[in-house]
Amino acid sequence: MLPGAFRLGGAQVGEFKMKHAIVIGSGAGGATAAKELQGKFDVIVLEAGNEFQPFPLKLATIERMKKTGLLLDERVMSLSFRNLQIRKTPDMVLVNGIGLGGTTTICTGSAVRMDKDLKAIGINLDAEFEEVFREIPVTTVHQKRWHKTTRRLFEICGELGLDPQPMPKMGNYEKCISCGRCTYGCRHGAKWDSRQFLQIARERGAQVLTNCRVERVVIENGHATGVEARHGWTRQFYPADLIVLAAGGFGTPVILQNSGIPCEPRLFVDPVLCLATKWENALQCKEIEMPFFMQREHYILSPYFDYVSFLFNKAWKYPAKDTLGIMIKLADSTTGSISKQELRKTLTPLDRERLSGAIETGKEILRRFGAKDRDIFLGTINAGHPGGMLPLTEREAESFHHDRLPENLYVADATLIPESLGNPPILTIVAIAKRVSKLCIEKLTKNPDQGGVV
Ligand SMILES: Cc1cc2nc3c(=O)[nH]c(=O)nc-3n(C[C@H](O)[C@H](O)[C@H](O)COP(=O)(O)OP(=O)(O)OC[C@H]3O[C@@H](n4cnc5c(N)ncnc54)[C@H](O)[C@@H]3O)c2cc1C
Ligand code: SF4
């Protein structure tokens, strides 16, 4: 659709003109907000990327590319995988999805409710989680397809007292063929991603504009009047009565700051470090990613074939089928920031200390499997759960709305999460976006004489 081609003026509902809402981003938070708001508002989703296309290259081709030695920098991945955005800091590689479905399209489908920190500040999302579990199928049925290596690892972790649990997964895993390419986009209709919510929003009448990168929210006299966005080479103003920012943990803080709204330097990313060993015919690359997990204090452990390290880390020199890895996903310190100019994210001494402890546990698992210490190697730290730069506190427990925002501007993504989770965040973000949408409807669709504000 061309810029400016979206409907202006609002749809007519009975005698009333429906107000316009702009939702920025179509990932976990954005697609949820679009689905919930459409019908109460006339919604247009502005999405920076394009239609999602799964990564096209076969594993054999990737292995040949790796052998050329030309894969020197992780950022080249986004040349052949346009829906992947990669940034780097001296400590780690940062990954997120760009395009319809946001980062949910490249997730492993793992589904865990993670709202302990929200509860601690007085936020009860029980009703929203109930809706989430009604709308998104969550299952561990994939367990019946696990191959030998995974089953043995699961036994070992149990023997070590690590309490392994099959990972709940979002989607219809009867369709899963264990191709091991969840983070490249599922071609088999097994894994759920937020495009399913976006589709519902569209069927209800929402419009979606792709290739439209929002730069800032335009604020006049304390009121958000619309957004300024780039669509291809053109810059355009999109007016709205309500603006919901869901451009993700990296995107939302940049838009806020470009709009003159400060954020907190509390960026977390949930760093992932994998350790691995050579194991003939481990065939982990042909297994569902993260089939089970072990919840530890400050991190989780899970079997994982780490493509980032496999492709770009020189220590990962064995064929994919003979590489067996364990992932550590750390709940990192909330210290870091992103702006239009720079990205700051390093591991603190405490993060490093916690990682060292986790590495020891990971090594114990691989040793018990039969690996020798000298054959265990580490991967590249990579991270893909950004958030935290406009965290909810007790003050916003009721309103989900920070004082520094105009009354008709809301955030509905991982930016609101107060502490790093060290765990899959999608379900929690969906629940947050549902609550934000309810509040927007309650506050902003009423007439001013009923307590509405626009
Ligand atoms: C490899 C990988 C695997 C993962 N696996 C899991 C998993 O199994 N389970 C889980 O729970 N979590 C997983 N995650 C994390 C999860 O996918 C993200 O935390 C979640 O999708 C974040 O939701 P969000 O709405 O905050 O942002 P996103 O889903 O990232 O959505 C942000 C959207 O905004 C768009 N956007 C950005 N900037 C702009 C702009 N300026 N203008 C317009 N649009 C913009 C983006 O294109 C994107 O569509 C994984 C992450 C990665 C990287
Ligand atoms: S392993 Fe299953 S869920 Fe993952 S991409 Fe393959 S078919 Fe889809």
Side-chain angles (χ1 to χ4, degrees):
M1 190 186 291
L2 293 172
F6 67 94
R7 293 186 299 267
L8 273 174
Q12 301 287 332
V13 179
E15 294 189 357
F16 300 103
K17 213 178 193 186
M18 220 190 306
K19 287 174 178 166
H20 273 292
I22 284 180
V23 174
I24 303 168
S26 62
T32 306
K35 172 170 101 52
E36 300 297 321
L37 293 172
Q38 176 58 41
K40 300 290 183 190
F41 289 86
D42 205 6
V43 172
I44 175 164
V45 178
L46 302 183
E47 166 53 55
N50 287 310
E51 224 29 92
F52 177 75
Q53 302 290 343
F55 183 61
L57 301 182
K58 294 202 167 118
L59 183 56
T61 316
I62 300 172
E63 291 202 275
R64 276 201 297 279
M65 283 168 69
K66 177 179 152 101
K67 278 190 194 139
T68 62
L70 293 173
L71 294 178
L72 294 173
D73 189 292
E74 291 81 358
R75 283 166 286 199
V76 302
M77 275 293 280
S78 35
L79 295 177
S80 48
F81 194 7
R82 301 310 289 257
N83 296 104
L84 185 72
Q85 184 166 33
I86 297 199
R87 299 171 169 96
K88 276 179 94 165
T89 70
D91 278 0
M92 65 187 93
V93 174
L94 296 149
V95 182
N96 66 282
I98 196 98
L100 295 184
T103 313
T104 66
T105 51
I106 56 166
C107 81
T108 64
S110 305
V112 188
R113 176 174 174 168
M114 290 300 303
D115 60 334
K116 185 169 59 70
D117 297 324
L118 293 169
K119 273 205 177 115
I121 55 170
I123 295 174
N124 180 340
L125 289 173
D126 286 352
E128 285 74 14
F129 273 108
E130 204 181 293
E131 289 174 32
V132 170
F133 285 108
R134 255 199 332 261
E135 293 169 17
I136 303 179
V138 173
T139 174
T140 54
V141 70
H142 56 86
Q143 187 173 7
K144 67 181 184 205
R145 293 184 57 86
W146 288 357
H147 60 48
K148 206 169 76 188
T149 309
T150 305
R151 288 201 307 270
R152 180 70 192 125
L153 276 173
F154 189 76
E155 267 168 32
I156 286 170
C157 294
E159 287 159 19
L160 288 170
L162 296 170
D163 189 25
Q165 299 294 326
M167 179 65 91
K169 297 277 178 183
M170 299 174 273
N172 177 358
Y173 284 81
E174 297 294 347
K175 292 185 180 173
C176 175
I177 61 153
S178 305
C179 67
R181 291 173 69 99
C182 312
T183 51
Y184 283 165
C186 180
R187 291 177 181 276
H188 305 279
K191 195 181 74 175
W192 181 93
D193 67 56
S194 69
R195 287 175 300 168
Q196 296 194 19
F197 277 3
L198 204 59
Q199 182 55 27
I200 298 173
R202 278 174 145 156
E203 284 161 8
R204 291 177 180 167
Q207 298 170 80
V208 180
L209 193 58
T210 55
N211 193 16
C212 185
R213 179 171 289 279
V214 173
E215 293 184 335
R216 69 183 186 106
V217 178
V218 179
I219 300 167
E220 284 167 17
N221 302 322
H223 187 79
T225 55
V227 303
E228 212 171 79
R230 269 192 179 280
H231 186 274
W233 295 105
T234 62
R235 179 174 279 134
Q236 175 131 350
F237 173 71
Y238 297 87
D241 302 300
L242 163 68
I243 296 161
V244 178
L245 260 169
F250 291 136
T252 291
V254 174
I255 298 172
L256 285 170
Q257 291 164 100
N258 288 350
S259 317
I261 299 167
C263 292
E264 308 290 325
R266 291 178 57 88
L267 178 70
F268 60 75
V269 293
D270 285 3
V272 162
L273 174 63
C274 291
L275 59 162
T277 189
K278 176 174 191 265
W279 198 264
E280 258 174 51
N281 284 320
L283 283 174
Q284 197 177 33
C285 57
K286 296 283 176 198
E287 178 64 285
I288 188 170
E289 293 183 85
M290 300 182 73
F292 67 86
F293 72 126
M294 291 149 277
Q295 199 67 257
R296 317 290 296 159
E297 209 182 348
H298 308 300
Y299 63 90
I300 60 171
L301 293 164
S302 181
Y304 189 63
F305 181 79
D306 177 10
Y307 275 100
V308 173
S309 299
F310 175 71
L311 285 174
F312 298 99
N313 191 314
K314 295 241 170 331
W316 291 54
K317 53 186 185 227
Y318 302 110
K321 73 176 183 50
D322 300 332
T323 303
L324 174 65
I326 301 285
M327 163 204 279
I328 300 159
K329 191 187 289 291
L330 181 74
D332 54 329
S333 307
T334 46
T335 51
S337 63
I338 185 165
S339 68
K340 194 173 173 187
Q341 292 77 26
E342 67 171 348
L343 168 60
R344 286 169 185 259
K345 184 68 207 177
T346 50
L347 292 175
T348 64
L350 183 62
D351 294 337
R352 290 186 185 281
E353 191 187 313
R354 287 176 173 163
L355 264 184
S356 308
I359 291 169
E360 276 319 303
T361 313
K363 278 187 175 169
E364 196 49 46
I365 298 168
L366 291 179
R367 274 186 213 118
R368 190 66 89 101
F369 196 86
K372 299 273 176 296
D373 264 20
R374 63 170 185 273
D375 295 330
I376 297 175
F377 46 93
L378 293 179
T380 303
I381 297 180
N382 55 90
H385 297 183
M389 282 188 65
L390 195 63
L392 291 167
T393 67
E394 279 170 6
R395 267 172 73 96
E396 298 83 29
E398 287 289 317
S399 67
F400 278 57
H401 186 269
H402 291 77
D403 285 351
R404 66 187 86 170
L405 302 176
E407 80 277 277
N408 61 334
L409 173 62
Y410 277 78
V411 172
D413 64 16
T415 311
L416 293 179
I417 297 178
E419 301 291 338
S420 55
L421 305 176
N423 265 278
I426 289 175
L427 291 188
T428 308
I429 297 168
V430 170
I432 289 173
K434 276 179 172 283
R435 172 66 63 84
V436 169
S437 305
K438 282 179 197 165
L439 290 163
C440 290
I441 292 167
E442 200 179 295
K443 284 240 165 247
L444 304 177
T445 56
K446 281 187 200 159
N447 293 326
D449 55 4
Q450 294 173 295
V453 289
V454 286

